Amino acid sequence: MSVEFFNKGNFFGLPKLETVVLIFIFFTHVLSVFGQEPSKPASDSPCKETRLAAGQGNFESASRLIKQCLESGSKGEVLARAENLLLGAEIEFYMENARQSADYAALAENQYISLADETRKGLWLFSVKLKKVQAALKAEKGEYQQAIKLYKEGLAILVSPNTLVQKDGGEPRRLKADLLSGVSLIQLKTGLYSDAIANLESALAELTDSRNDNYSRGGILNEFGHLLNEQRSHRQAIGYLEKSAEIWQKEKDWFNFAMTQQNLAIAYRGIGDYKQAQSYFERVRDLAVKNNFIELDTMSLQGLASLEQIRGEHRKAVEILQKVLSQSTASVRRAEILWRLSSNQNLTGESVPARANATECYEYATAQKIENLRYLCATNLGETYLQDSPASAEKWLNTAVEITENLSRRVAGREPEKVYFMQDKSAAYHGLIKLFAKANKPEQALAVSEKLKSRVLREKLQSRSTKILGDDVSSRISNLPADTTVVSYVLSDKECFAFVLKANDPPKVILLPVGEEKLREQIGRYRESILTFSPTFKREARALYDSLLKAAEVEIANAKHLIIVPDGALWELPFQALITSSNKYLVEEREISYVPALGVLTGARSPTTSKTNQKNLVAFANSTRKDSPALPEAEREANDISKLYAPSSIFFKNDATERRVRTEAAQAKVLHLAVHGEINQTDPFASALLFTEDAGDDGRLTVSEILQLNLPNSLVVLSSCDTSNGKVLSGEGLLSLSWAFLASGGRVVVAAQWAVEEKATADLMLNFHRSLNGNINESASALRAAQVEALKRPAPFNHPFYWSAFVAVEGPQR
């Protein structure tokens, strides 16, 4: 007898707000799935009706009917009763009646134990499914270690040399995938992202494209999407979630389809496509109302409230969330609602209810070991105390930072996953910086600010050199040359700060007279005025100088070399073209360089600097491509520069291939690249330099590929458009082509902040290399000399558009 049963997923509210995650428990009559025969034909009508109701998704009826089934069945048919009890456990688990589910599972286990040993040996599939239900129940209670133990016991049975297991390939494969998926969910919940990904990949590998595997595959794809959302790899998550949604739509499983749509809404919200996110959240709500999916209705409303919060409509968000809270019964869901509600209440000045809600949320997240939710609630608690209890605020914000630091160490994947993980986790750090700055504790404020700068870059550099000392700020300051001053910025909401650092002086913190939003607007106007040759550019340049450096004039007065550590939109600002109080460009008064973080500096420059080996200039220019115009001036530029380093290696046109740059870069002390650049603001790791296509190579040297290079402490000159442009990301700074070359071993990267004019660039580059005279450590000085020389050109070529785009970004000296 072939019986069709149902495969439905129960969801837990996991760390990410309203994100839905499936624990795939196959609600099946044991040994009766996918064509297997039950232990005895089920002749009693209630048991048949139970399986039919469950198969149709009518769980309330199934819950009622399973009771009649168990009451009507013969007590002497031990195995049949055990199977029905296990089915009841699965149904009640889906109905979120954990106590009844546990009771049924315990009774099923007792029936199983009462069977003879020989009989039990043949019931390996029953044993595995029982362990799966028991593990899910343990996980629901937060008993993760016990749950993992049960999942692994089930996996051990499935991989044992059991002839029955080997004979029936389909069901054991699906069970193994489900068990691995269950393990990965617990790992995701507890922040073990690398392990979670490994188990999800193993689970997918167990499955085929057959329809029998659809439910397992659809659930695991959705779970993968959830995990990637957790790590802020939202674009990658969308690919998995769309595949999952396609499966559920074909199966007409509207519950799981709606859950996947919810995760898609979260992914689109994460990439800033709020219109698309709104559409998905509304779609989920329509499905929830139509099908009476109460919990999904709650989650879709949470999502819509989150969009109101992003728009700054905090009172609207509070109204929605209070409504949602009144209809939510699931404890995890309630905790997530409390977190978002407390956040919005704090922003509307309701600190007392905000604090109470955040406290309840934190206590639940701690008890359940939901680390991401703990971080969010701890941050909220800290923010509610900022005005009336600095000590309490410091305690809670430090707690949030510690949780984040622990979670970040567990992030799976390569650089993109680690970078994106930090995108919504800066609030606690900024709260501490404000707290310490206002308490006149600049050392503590500076130390916290460093944790938010170039995290992945420093990790990458640390793997290359023991000189990179991470967050040790004091050693960085004490080793600064006497003629050097560092100004490190922090931009956060309405308050922005500058830390002024000099050797042998304590750090000084300055509250800037401008907020982040206004500063971003000023920078946008200034860049526009330069690019359009507007007569207002000098006024804008002076206003920005007054906002950013005027308060530090005394400290920087004697600085020959000014090092800027930008934050946020400041990465887009050409400090060298600001107008000082003396009515001069800043570059006329001192040399300027940029560093991504103090942790990248390795201290004082060596008193004796070695000249570049003259055989080690490698230049690529004017690559041949169908999608880009020729760059004849770039070819002239490379030819002229090569005479300063002769003999040298130069590659033009068809010889300027991606394959060759990979090989030659490893030997280049000076790597000069005069080719087109392509900036991808959506996916900065896909930004690329464009070389000549070759057999098996597309000619696009992307940021991800640059990170795989191994440069020998090189000077890298990117003499092409927008090469210092990119995307500014929280916790990392400007993620650009220049960032990638620093991470791959560059000592200094000279790059452009906007599209530059070809001939003026060629002249500036020649003067730069001539002033450099092979001394890489003097790159900032050489660039200043070339830019000051450009100011002597006749109008309009002395305008900042022609010379101020280029910046020197310093990495560590190894």
Side-chain angles (χ1 to χ4, degrees):
M1 178 180 72
S2 179
V3 186
E4 187 178 51
F5 296 95
F6 65 105
N7 290 346
K8 281 285 183 178
N10 179 59
F11 55 85
F12 288 160
L14 275 172
K16 176 64 177 172
L17 317 173
E18 65 279 1
T19 302
V20 181
V21 180
L22 300 178
I23 290 185
F24 267 76
I25 295 181
F26 282 174
F27 298 102
T28 58
H29 188 291
V30 181
L31 301 177
S32 301
V33 184
F34 308 119
Q36 292 188 25
E37 293 296 320
S39 57
K40 289 192 178 214
S43 58
D44 49 317
S45 179
C47 295
K48 281 184 179 179
E49 291 177 6
T50 300
R51 291 189 290 275
L52 182 62
Q56 294 174 343
N58 190 345
F59 307 118
E60 291 183 3
S61 294
S63 177
R64 184 180 66 255
L65 288 165
I66 191 64
K67 294 180 176 66
Q68 297 175 22
C69 167
L70 292 170
E71 289 170 359
S72 65
S74 170
K75 304 286 173 134
E77 294 178 0
V78 177
L79 178 53
R81 183 169 179 78
E83 293 169 350
N84 288 329
L85 284 164
L86 184 54
L87 177 59
E90 293 172 327
I91 291 169
E92 295 301 332
F93 185 82
Y94 181 82
M95 293 292 292
E96 298 190 70
N97 189 347
R99 177 172 294 181
Q100 183 63 68
S101 177
D103 289 345
Y104 280 147
L107 290 170
E109 183 175 29
N110 290 339
Q111 294 287 308
Y112 172 72
I113 291 170
S114 71
L115 294 167
D117 288 347
E118 287 303 313
T119 304
R120 288 206 308 272
K121 285 180 182 178
L123 298 177
W124 54 272
L125 193 53
F126 179 93
S127 177
V128 173
K129 290 185 175 181
L130 178 61
K131 290 181 184 297
K132 187 171 68 166
V133 174
Q134 291 171 327
L137 287 164
K138 293 290 186 185
E140 177 80 345
K141 293 167 64 178
E143 297 174 2
Y144 299 131
Q145 294 308 312
Q146 296 93 318
I148 290 282
K149 180 174 180 289
L150 287 162
Y151 279 130
K152 289 185 175 179
E153 287 174 359
L155 287 166
I157 294 171
L158 291 175
V159 299
S160 64
N162 185 316
T163 55
L164 285 172
V165 175
Q166 302 304 321
K167 182 180 177 182
D168 188 0
E171 178 69 356
R173 280 192 300 96
R174 286 182 283 274
L175 266 175
K176 185 176 180 183
D178 291 343
L179 294 171
L180 288 166
S181 178
V183 171
S184 74
L185 264 174
I186 293 171
Q187 291 165 335
L188 171 59
K189 228 179 167 184
T190 53
L192 299 174
Y193 300 116
S194 296
D195 294 339
I197 279 184
N199 278 312
L200 284 175
E201 288 173 342
S202 297
L204 278 177
E206 293 292 327
L207 303 172
T208 68
D209 291 332
S210 71
R211 185 172 181 184
N212 285 344
D213 286 0
N214 267 359
Y215 274 84
S216 286
R217 192 167 65 256
I220 292 167
L221 288 168
N222 183 63
E223 193 177 327
F224 237 127
H226 166 71
L227 191 152
L228 291 165
N229 271 341
E230 280 291 297
Q231 296 193 166
R232 309 303 174 262
S233 299
H234 298 296
R235 294 187 184 280
Q236 195 178 352
I238 288 169
Y240 284 94
L241 294 168
E242 286 177 341
K243 291 176 184 176
S244 178
E246 185 179 348
I247 289 172
W248 300 130
Q249 195 165 24
K250 285 181 180 178
E251 295 293 333
K252 299 190 185 312
D253 186 328
W254 303 120
F255 181 81
N256 285 326
F257 177 75
M259 295 171 77
T260 308
Q261 301 299 291
Q262 179 81 0
N263 276 340
L264 277 165
I266 291 160
Y268 279 108
R269 185 185 63 192
I271 63 174
D273 190 342
Y274 304 128
K275 184 178 179 181
Q276 189 79 300
Q278 176 103 12
S279 174
Y280 274 104
F281 282 132
E282 289 174 349
R283 187 180 306 171
V284 174
R285 186 147 198 245
D286 288 344
L287 285 164
V289 172
K290 181 179 179 180
N291 295 282
N292 198 31
F293 299 148
I294 296 172
E295 195 65 17
L296 275 170
D297 185 31
T298 297
M299 287 185 287
S300 63
L301 284 169
Q302 268 188 276
L304 292 168
S306 74
L307 296 179
E308 295 293 355
Q309 182 174 349
I310 289 168
R311 298 181 187 114
E313 298 289 346
H314 302 297
R315 294 199 181 278
K316 286 184 181 179
V318 167
E319 289 173 10
I320 295 172
L321 291 165
Q322 285 175 332
K323 174 185 176 182
V324 171
L325 191 64
S326 67
Q327 67 187 44
S328 178
T329 56
S331 49
V332 156
R333 189 64 52 212
R334 176 178 173 81
E336 293 172 354
I337 297 165
L338 287 167
W339 163 72
R340 194 174 287 284
L341 179 58
S342 70
S343 179
N344 281 280
Q345 286 172 326
N346 199 42
L347 290 167
T348 57
E350 302 170 76
S351 60
V352 175
R355 191 173 301 161
N357 288 330
T359 300
E360 183 180 342
C361 170
Y362 181 82
E363 289 172 350
Y364 178 84
T366 301
Q368 295 298 312
K369 301 179 182 177
I370 305 175
E371 292 301 283
N372 273 1
L373 194 55
R374 273 188 74 219
Y375 152 76
L376 293 167
C377 299
T379 302
N380 278 9
L381 274 167
E383 290 176 340
T384 66
Y385 281 109
L386 279 173
Q387 300 303 320
D388 54 8
S389 179
S392 296
E394 181 179 345
K395 168 196 164 186
W396 285 110
L397 292 171
N398 266 323
T399 298
V401 167
E402 288 169 11
I403 295 168
T404 305
E405 294 294 318
N406 287 333
L407 283 173
S408 70
R409 286 189 280 271
R410 303 174 186 174
V411 173
R414 301 183 67 87
E415 289 82 10
E417 289 78 15
K418 294 177 180 179
V419 166
Y420 293 137
F421 174 77
M422 285 298 297
Q423 290 321 291
D424 62 352
K425 294 185 169 61
S426 61
Y429 297 84
H430 283 154
L432 277 175
I433 292 167
K434 294 176 189 176
L435 196 67
F436 289 137
K438 290 178 179 179
N440 197 27
K441 297 179 179 179
E443 293 89 351
Q444 292 95 318
L446 182 61
V448 176
S449 76
E450 272 294 286
K451 293 179 184 291
L452 270 182
K453 293 180 185 286
S454 302
R455 296 169 65 91
V456 174
L457 175 61
R458 282 184 289 152
E459 179 183 321
K460 186 86 173 169
L461 293 172
Q462 183 69 66
S463 69
R464 295 173 177 273
S465 171
T466 56
K467 289 185 181 180
I468 312 303
L469 303 177
D471 300 325
D472 183 4
V473 174
S474 59
S475 67
R476 297 293 185 271
I477 300 172
S478 62
N479 287 328
L480 287 171
D483 64 355
T484 298
T485 299
V486 176
V487 182
S488 179
Y489 292 93
V490 173
L491 310 186
S492 67
D493 300 332
K494 297 178 181 178
E495 294 177 309
C496 301
F497 301 93
F499 296 92
V500 184
L501 314 171
K502 300 171 69 175
N504 304 318
D505 285 353
K508 179 179 179 180
V509 61
I510 298 170
L511 176 63
L512 300 179
V514 65
E516 182 180 16
E517 186 175 347
K518 183 179 178 183
L519 194 55
R520 190 182 296 111
E521 291 172 358
Q522 278 186 278
I523 293 168
R525 287 198 307 270
Y526 179 46
R527 282 176 61 96
E528 183 68 17
S529 70
I530 289 179
L531 298 180
T532 60
F533 293 83
S534 169
T536 65
F537 85 90
K538 285 194 174 183
R539 184 174 70 243
E540 300 288 355
R542 179 57 188 271
L544 279 164
Y545 176 86
D546 289 347
S547 295
L548 296 167
L549 286 170
K550 188 173 180 60
E553 278 185 333
V554 173
E555 284 75 19
I556 68 175
N558 297 320
K560 175 187 173 186
H561 183 192
L562 182 63
I563 298 177
I564 303 294
V565 187
D567 189 28
L570 294 179
W571 276 107
E572 301 171 358
L573 176 65
F575 276 78
Q576 53 275 13
L578 297 184
I579 303 292
T580 70
S581 300
S582 303
N583 205 31
K584 292 182 179 180
Y585 290 111
L586 187 61
V587 74
E588 293 182 89
E589 298 184 351
R590 50 188 52 85
E591 61 192 63
I592 302 160
S593 65
Y594 300 75
V595 294
L598 289 175
V600 171
L601 291 174
T602 51
R605 300 173 187 172
S606 172
T608 59
T609 53
S610 58
K611 296 284 184 78
T612 300
N613 184 329
Q614 292 196 341
K615 293 182 180 179
N616 286 339
L617 169 82
V618 178
F620 288 77
N622 197 19
S623 54
T624 303
R625 294 186 62 88
K626 295 178 182 177
D627 57 2
S628 305
L631 295 171
E633 285 293 335
E635 191 169 331
R636 176 181 72 81
E637 168 190 326
N639 257 324
D640 290 346
I641 290 167
S642 69
K643 296 171 186 176
L644 301 174
Y645 295 90
S648 55
S649 299
I650 319 173
F651 302 95
F652 299 137
K653 297 179 180 175
N654 290 340
D655 292 329
T657 64
E658 179 186 353
R659 188 185 309 276
R660 183 160 275 155
V661 79
R662 290 174 188 274
T663 304
E664 297 290 336
Q667 307 302 321
K669 287 291 185 180
V670 175
L671 180 63
H672 187 97
L673 304 175
V675 297
H676 283 290
E678 180 181 279
I679 305 304
N680 189 325
Q681 291 284 358
T682 301
D683 180 8
F685 285 91
S687 295
L689 291 173
L690 305 181
F691 294 90
T692 303
E693 294 180 41
D694 197 6
D697 257 326
D698 61 4
R700 300 181 73 260
L701 185 65
T702 66
V703 165
S704 293
E705 292 169 330
I706 293 167
L707 290 171
Q708 308 311 310
L709 300 178
N710 188 17
L711 303 179
N713 206 25
S714 312
L715 163 64
V716 181
V717 181
L718 305 179
S719 178
S720 51
C721 302
D722 283 347
T723 44
S724 186
N725 201 352
K727 186 170 185 176
V728 178
L729 296 169
S730 176
E732 200 59 40
L734 183 70
L735 205 156
S736 62
L737 291 160
S738 57
W739 176 93
F741 277 106
L742 282 181
S744 63
R747 168 68 186 89
V748 181
V749 179
V750 174
Q753 291 182 314
W754 57 76
V756 288
E757 195 275 332
E758 193 179 353
K759 186 178 184 306
T761 296
D763 292 340
L764 186 140
M765 285 291 111
L766 181 60
N767 285 332
F768 165 72
H769 282 280
R770 187 178 287 124
S771 297
L772 186 71
N773 195 27
N775 191 342
I776 292 174
N777 285 334
E778 294 300 324
S779 296
S781 177
L783 182 59
R784 173 179 181 260
Q787 291 177 328
V788 170
E789 185 67 25
L791 281 168
K792 300 175 184 177
R793 298 172 186 161
F797 299 105
N798 61 353
H799 189 278
F801 170 80
Y802 292 99
W803 56 265
S804 69
F806 284 95
V807 295
V809 186
E810 295 193 62
Q813 183 178 355
R814 286 173 291 278

